[in-house]
Amino acid sequence: MSFSFLVETLRKEKRLILICLGIFLLFLILGILAGIYFGDMISKYVDMYLKKMFQQILKNVDNKFELFLAILKNNMRVYLILIVAGTLTFGLVSLFILMSNGIIVGAVAALSAKHTSLGKTLLLLLPHGVIEIFAFLIGSVASAIFLENLVLEKKKEDFKIVFKRFCILSILGAVLVVVAAFIEAYVTSSFAR
């Protein structure tokens, strides 16, 4: 598989990428609105569940490399669920993960901006978040590629080509998860101080 095949695949899947991006952005906006209007209730949820989850992920982390490995392990686990379960359900699980990530990121961003500042919140989210979100978008597209070919395409493509596209998108998403985890551990964590 060549770089040109990757570019061709991204071009061909532009519609699915935009659909997934639209879904994520819609739920991100809903999360922001929820954080603004229901911040007190959401703060309790964040304190009860999300902080405990992050503490569990980050226990026994003493340096940036261990932080990188902890973040990578967690995000790659979610990514693999998105790819495997998403593919088996023709993208439904991926859709759920996109929606829930959008709501959670939006709500937490709104709460963070309320308690710190918008600038600091953006510094804590954007360096790694853009790449991580793109990774999950690409994984979601990969998980729906078979459904797209079976249902949405008028002219069915050869299964081998569809499978190659699935593989290249899955690998690209996984590489982006690694890059995002590296940036989160080595760059974003510097802004948390």
Side-chain angles (χ1 to χ4, degrees), residues 87-106:
T87 301
L88 293 174
T89 61
F90 293 108
L92 288 177
V93 168
S94 303
L95 181 66
F96 175 76
I97 290 173
L98 277 180
M99 293 182 323
S100 59
N101 274 345
I103 286 179
I104 291 169
V105 169

Side-chain angles (χ1 to χ4, degrees), residues 49-114:
Y49 298 106
L50 290 181
K51 281 186 181 177
K52 286 181 185 176
M53 181 184 78
F54 285 120
Q55 287 170 348
Q56 182 66 25
I57 292 168
L58 300 177
K59 73 177 182 181
N60 302 323
V61 170
D62 295 322
N63 58 53
K64 289 190 182 223
F65 182 70
E66 289 175 356
L67 177 61
F68 164 70
L69 291 178
I71 293 168
L72 179 61
K73 179 182 171 187
N74 179 66
N75 291 352
M76 194 59 77
R77 181 182 55 81
V78 174
Y79 182 76
L80 289 173
I81 290 169
L82 182 138
I83 289 293
V84 174
T87 301
L88 293 174
T89 61
F90 293 108
L92 288 177
V93 168
S94 303
L95 181 66
F96 175 76
I97 290 173
L98 277 180
M99 293 182 323
S100 59
N101 274 345
I103 286 179
I104 291 169
V105 169
V108 169
L111 292 173
S112 174
K114 189 185 286 187

Side-chain angles (χ1 to χ4, degrees), residues 80-177:
L80 289 173
I81 290 169
L82 182 138
I83 289 293
V84 174
T87 301
L88 293 174
T89 61
F90 293 108
L92 288 177
V93 168
S94 303
L95 181 66
F96 175 76
I97 290 173
L98 277 180
M99 293 182 323
S100 59
N101 274 345
I103 286 179
I104 291 169
V105 169
V108 169
L111 292 173
S112 174
K114 189 185 286 187
H115 295 309
T116 60
S117 70
L118 180 60
K120 181 156 184 165
T121 299
L122 292 175
L123 282 174
L124 292 172
L125 291 175
L126 290 181
H128 71 280
V130 171
I131 296 169
E132 189 175 307
I133 289 164
F134 191 65
F136 285 102
L137 289 173
I138 292 296
S140 298
V141 169
S143 73
I145 207 165
F146 296 109
L147 175 68
E148 177 192 41
N149 190 54
L150 289 172
V151 177
L152 302 176
E153 294 291 326
K154 293 176 184 168
K155 183 181 174 192
K156 308 298 181 228
E157 284 189 291
D158 180 26
F159 181 78
K160 287 181 185 178
I161 293 173
V162 175
F163 186 72
K164 275 183 174 179
R165 285 195 171 115
F166 166 79
C167 289
I168 199 160
L169 289 173
S170 298
I171 292 167
L172 174 61
V175 169
L176 291 173
V177 167

